Amino acid sequence: MSEFSNAFPETFIAAKPEVGLVLGSGLGGFTDLLSNPVLLPFSEVPGLPVSGVEGHAGRFVLGTLGGTRLLAAQGRVHLYEGWSAADVSAGIRAMAALGIRTVVLTNAAGIVNGDFTPGNWMQISDHLNLTGTSPLTGGPRFVDQTEVYDLRLRAHFSTVAQQLGIPLPSGIYAGLPGPEYETPAEIRMLRVLGADAVGMSTVCEATQARALGMKVAGFSCLTNFGAGMTGDLLDHADVLAMGRQAAGHLATILAAAFPLP
Ligand code: HPA
């Protein structure tokens, strides 16, 4: 029995979604691609935390894409809102309770690797959890994280992107707690640590999903250069706008990628 065993309406349980999708800032429009969408606000799922951040609508959309039954979460809650690591990964446990075995996580991220281009997507190959917390505090302990982001899925998405002619570099995502953007010194530090992109989500969800034996894929929308990499200041509105502008590319990749291996 999970905390979410009785949390979903019968339509959602009966649909037996196979793949879960978490849509980050500015990326919620992806659900327009789903056939026969059924909506469910997070507030109607007992036990799920509800966000107040602009760009995070806070609802599930059930639907099909390429013959696969998907459950998309439009919006997520963040550590920087004051939620715990267990809270920010509750949506993943809810998906697991519905029988979902594969999750695709998306986020908006700042560029740390100067070879990357704003407006492109990066496939996450591994992460640095620099949040100072974990959804697994209290157990289970010592979960293996050698391959958080599933190698077969990664190869599949890279092949699909290549066939479509859409750039999809792979890289390391550094997850920080936020809520402030980084300083230029922090961006330089992250590069030394091996990060290619930086954001304020995803790492707790990925860790939770792996601990539940789910397969994980992750994509970062590279919305801006990290602080100090150009003369520009960072602005949340620009980040959201770039997310919306670039969303179509990942949507095209995902639309061609189902069914997943
Ligand atoms: N830093 C952290 N998180 C982000 C950024 C950034 O530059 N851009 C989008 N999310």
Side-chain angles (χ1 to χ4, degrees), residues 66-81:
T68 301
R69 296 181 300 280
L70 280 180
L71 182 72
Q74 275 180 329
R76 51 156 67 92
V77 298
H78 299 85
L79 295 170
Y80 60 70
E81 297 171 77

Side-chain angles (χ1 to χ4, degrees), residues 100-238:
I100 287 172
R101 305 295 302 150
T102 301
V103 291
V104 177
L105 307 174
T106 70
N107 59 51
I111 291 174
V112 175
N113 177 349
D115 293 339
F116 288 177
T117 308
N120 279 354
W121 284 86
M122 178 187 91
Q123 176 157 219
I124 303 175
S125 57
D126 201 352
H127 72 221
L128 297 165
N129 179 357
L130 301 176
T131 65
T133 186
S134 164
L136 309 186
T137 303
R141 287 180 192 165
F142 315 130
V143 169
D144 176 74
Q145 289 206 109
T146 306
E147 190 184 314
V148 174
Y149 301 88
D150 187 79
L151 199 52
R152 261 181 86 204
L153 284 180
R154 273 153 53 197
H156 175 66
F157 284 117
S158 293
T159 303
V160 169
Q162 198 173 8
Q163 284 166 351
L164 292 166
I166 298 174
L168 185 66
S170 292
I172 313 285
Y173 174 87
L176 270 63
E180 67 282 4
Y181 288 124
E182 300 71 36
T183 64
E186 287 165 345
I187 294 293
R188 289 192 297 273
M189 172 192 77
L190 291 169
R191 187 67 190 133
V192 171
L193 294 181
D196 295 297
V198 57
M200 305 174 194
S201 67
T202 304
V203 293
C204 289
E205 292 150 291
T207 295
Q208 175 66 85
R210 273 310 297 146
L212 292 169
M214 300 162 107
K215 284 198 231 172
V216 181
F219 299 94
S220 291
C221 182
L222 304 172
T223 52
N224 57 279
F225 281 112
M229 292 178 74
T230 68
D232 298 338
L233 302 184
L234 274 61
D235 182 331
H236 184 55
D238 295 343

Side-chain angles (χ1 to χ4, degrees), residues 52-93:
V53 181
E54 192 199 338
H56 295 268
R59 62 185 185 184
F60 287 117
V61 184
L62 177 72
T64 56
L65 180 65
T68 301
R69 296 181 300 280
L70 280 180
L71 182 72
Q74 275 180 329
R76 51 156 67 92
V77 298
H78 299 85
L79 295 170
Y80 60 70
E81 297 171 77
W83 300 101
S84 70
D87 293 331
V88 302
S89 51
I92 301 298
R93 294 192 298 283

Side-chain angles (χ1 to χ4, degrees), residues 7-13 15 23 28-45 48 57-64 70-74 98:
F8 284 90
E10 188 51 35
T11 19
F12 281 69
I13 297 167
L23 301 169
F30 174 76
T31 56
D32 294 348
L33 288 181
L34 301 184
S35 326
N36 306 318
V38 187
L39 309 182
L40 179 69
F42 292 158
S43 56
E44 290 179 21
V45 181
L48 269 193
R59 62 185 185 184
F60 287 117
V61 184
L62 177 72
T64 56
L70 280 180
L71 182 72
Q74 275 180 329
L98 274 182

